[in-house]
Amino acid sequence: MSTAELSTTTDGSFEHDLARLLAGDPDSLGSVFTMWERARRVGPTHWTGTRHLIFGYDEVKSILNDSRLGNNGFYVGTDAEYVRSTLTAAELELYWEVADFESKQLGRSDGADHTRLRDIARRTFTPRRIALLRESVTTYADDLLDSVAGAGVVEAVSALTHVLPLMVIVDLLGVPQQDRALIRDWSCRLGRWRGNNSPEILRDTHTAMTEFRDYVRTILESKRTAEPETDLIAALMGAGEGGRLDAEELVAFYVMLLLAGHETTTNLMGIGLLELHRQPEQWRGLCADPSSARAGIDELLRFVSPVQYVGRVALETIHLGETVIEEGQSVLPIIGSANHDPKVFENPEQLDLGRANAREQIAFGYGPHFCLGQQLAQLEASIVFRKLATRFPDMRVDVSQARFGGSLGLRALEHLPIDFGPDHGESD
């Protein structure tokens, strides 16, 4: 198929469809991988006029591992310049306040600051600390599944997939469980800013950021004189008191952990559950051997790709194959497309929990900015999917009623009705 043929569809051009997806159109989010398949046939990269989109697996890995690209691509570069050109002076003031706060987070840092912040994160989220969470994750999962057993049709996102990861992370960070709804609301509102750069969303993002930041400041102030509830909290507070994090960095670090500590896992579990029932032979296979859930998580991560892209900016001119990326140009490595590249993953649109090379997925990134939260997400998801397959093998998922939302950067499943059916219990 030629590029010209790909540029026209029954409902508009390739550019038009791509723009809708990048803007977070809900219908487009539900069929994201169809768009990426079309894009890869056009080529491994694509210039939109303000940013380079990178689609191929090898090309995405190369970009993610290249120190010549800065990590704060959402606020620096040609795409950010375009967004700012559409804003009024009052809106620009809000924009820069959001940008200034987010730039203090690990996920937006580079160079010495990134090394310092990542070292703190690495010392905080050690494999030992994550392993110790297994018991509490298991308890939370059992309690939530007990609540849906025999309840008829349940909206699974609000009853399970967003609740468990949030319960775990607020517990880990010493935040009151009764404040989960607040944190979820702030997270959803902040997530909509990724790609949805309208003034209305900017204003709501600024409000949510201000409320969330002030809330975390209050939480941290209460912990300065109290006995730390966990050694993780002690490590974070120690980093602040030891001067390795200034006051605003500590607030930004806490906000980042509360956000990143649940959003990716929420979307992995929700969309993963949907996809397992869109390809029901994979669900039946998991139910026949629930212990295979851990091994299957890498394939679910590949297939779902909860974070579809990240933002980068070229710090100097870069040659990527035949593509020249000029200094200052924005770059979006599309992780979701890379994880569905048929050059690496045979029949990529087939969910295959036994896929031999599933561990080559890059759902959590690659290189120096590889996400340290992968172990926690895998632990939570493997426990939940194993228990679902064991206790509720006869569940009925209404895939036609699935509804996507959020943004392309944080593609979220917002609605999924499930009748969990009879509880078969657990043999172990």
Side-chain angles (χ1 to χ4, degrees):
M1 183 178 291
S2 69
T3 300
E5 289 172 321
L6 277 166
S7 296
T8 304
T9 64
T10 56
D11 58 348
S13 70
F14 171 75
E15 293 282 357
H16 175 263
D17 294 344
L18 182 60
R20 286 180 60 198
L21 176 59
L22 291 169
D25 172 69
D27 290 337
S28 300
L29 291 174
S31 57
V32 62
F33 298 111
T34 300
M35 188 71 240
W36 298 149
E37 181 182 12
R38 292 171 62 196
R40 287 191 303 273
R41 291 181 182 177
V42 171
T45 70
H46 180 72
W47 172 248
T48 69
T50 63
R51 50 194 167 183
H52 292 275
L53 307 184
I54 314 299
F55 301 118
Y57 179 88
D58 290 339
E59 291 80 6
V60 167
K61 283 186 72 174
S62 177
I63 289 293
L64 293 176
N65 200 38
D66 196 327
S67 62
R68 295 174 298 171
L69 289 115
N71 201 36
N72 201 6
F74 288 110
Y75 296 108
V76 181
T78 47
D79 197 44
E81 290 168 5
Y82 168 74
V83 171
R84 290 194 291 272
S85 73
T86 67
L87 303 176
T88 66
E91 290 161 354
L92 273 172
E93 186 175 346
L94 301 182
Y95 173 96
W96 283 119
E97 287 184 23
V98 173
D100 181 63
F101 181 69
E102 287 203 355
S103 295
K104 293 180 172 63
Q105 297 178 2
L106 172 61
R108 301 284 177 266
S109 62
D110 290 301
D113 281 339
H114 176 260
T115 300
R116 173 175 57 88
L117 294 173
R118 189 172 179 85
D119 182 63
I120 293 169
R122 181 178 57 80
R123 293 170 183 269
T124 301
F125 279 91
T126 63
R128 174 182 167 274
R129 283 197 177 107
I130 299 304
L132 290 174
L133 292 173
R134 176 174 292 277
E135 183 177 349
S136 62
V137 173
T138 300
T139 299
Y140 286 142
D142 282 333
D143 290 345
L144 290 171
L145 293 180
D146 287 346
S147 71
V148 300
V153 177
V154 174
E155 201 293 291
V157 176
S158 58
L160 175 63
T161 62
H162 101 244
V163 184
L164 183 134
L166 196 49
M167 292 173 80
V168 174
I169 197 65
V170 300
D171 208 19
L172 195 59
L173 294 174
V175 174
Q177 286 285 346
Q178 61 264 30
D179 291 346
R180 292 199 315 267
L182 280 173
I183 295 167
R184 176 63 176 169
D185 177 64
W186 289 324
S187 299
C188 290
R189 291 160 65 192
L190 291 171
R192 283 193 288 269
W193 175 237
R194 293 290 168 262
N196 295 321
N197 299 319
S198 74
E200 180 183 357
I201 290 178
L202 170 60
R203 288 190 289 271
D204 189 54
T205 296
H206 182 271
T207 300
M209 179 207 73
T210 302
E211 292 171 353
F212 202 173
R213 182 182 59 193
D214 291 347
Y215 171 84
V216 168
R217 283 174 177 160
T218 301
I219 291 289
L220 290 174
E221 188 58 37
S222 71
K223 295 186 183 303
R224 295 189 194 282
T225 56
E227 188 71 22
E229 298 99 314
T230 69
D231 60 348
L232 184 144
I233 296 171
L236 284 175
M237 298 305 294
E241 293 166 5
R244 288 183 293 152
L245 288 174
D246 65 32
E248 280 302 288
E249 284 178 333
L250 181 57
V251 172
F253 209 89
Y254 231 78
V255 168
M256 178 203 72
L257 291 177
L258 284 168
L259 288 173
H262 81 274
E263 285 183 320
T264 302
T265 313
T266 290
N267 297 333
L268 168 62
M269 293 195 304
I271 302 174
L273 197 52
L274 169 65
E275 298 298 349
L276 281 168
H277 287 83
R278 280 178 169 169
Q279 300 189 39
E281 73 283 355
Q282 294 300 308
W283 173 249
R284 290 192 292 267
L286 179 60
C287 292
D289 181 16
S291 66
S292 67
R294 174 61 189 88
I297 294 301
D298 278 309
E299 172 65 356
L300 282 171
L301 281 167
R302 180 199 72 82
F303 197 88
V304 171
S305 296
V307 176
Q308 287 288 303
Y309 73 87
V310 293
R312 297 288 188 266
V313 58
L315 304 178
E316 59 183 78
T317 298
I318 296 169
H319 293 264
L320 183 69
E322 298 180 359
T323 300
V324 179
I325 303 172
E326 301 288 350
E327 179 181 353
Q329 288 184 335
S330 299
V331 183
L332 267 61
I334 309 294
I335 292 171
S337 176
N339 277 337
H340 283 244
D341 190 337
K343 293 179 181 178
V344 179
F345 303 104
E346 186 178 359
N347 298 321
E349 306 315 315
Q350 171 63 51
L351 179 63
D352 179 5
L353 297 185
R355 186 180 293 273
N357 69 338
R359 295 191 69 179
E360 294 182 36
Q361 56 82 16
I362 53 172
F364 284 88
Y366 181 77
H369 295 281
F370 176 81
C371 179
L372 295 171
Q374 174 167 315
Q375 286 184 315
L376 178 57
Q378 289 178 320
L379 173 67
E380 292 173 347
S382 62
I383 289 173
V384 167
F385 281 111
R386 177 179 62 80
K387 287 183 171 293
L388 284 170
T390 301
R391 293 180 59 176
F392 303 104
D394 304 317
M395 72 166 66
R396 294 189 297 277
V397 178
D398 190 347
V399 299
S400 68
Q401 295 301 309
R403 186 177 69 243
F404 283 87
S407 64
L408 181 59
L410 287 170
R411 176 174 171 255
L413 186 65
E414 295 187 337
H415 181 74
L416 186 65
I418 296 179
D419 184 341
F420 285 87
D423 186 348
H424 291 245
E426 294 192 77
S427 58
D428 57 349

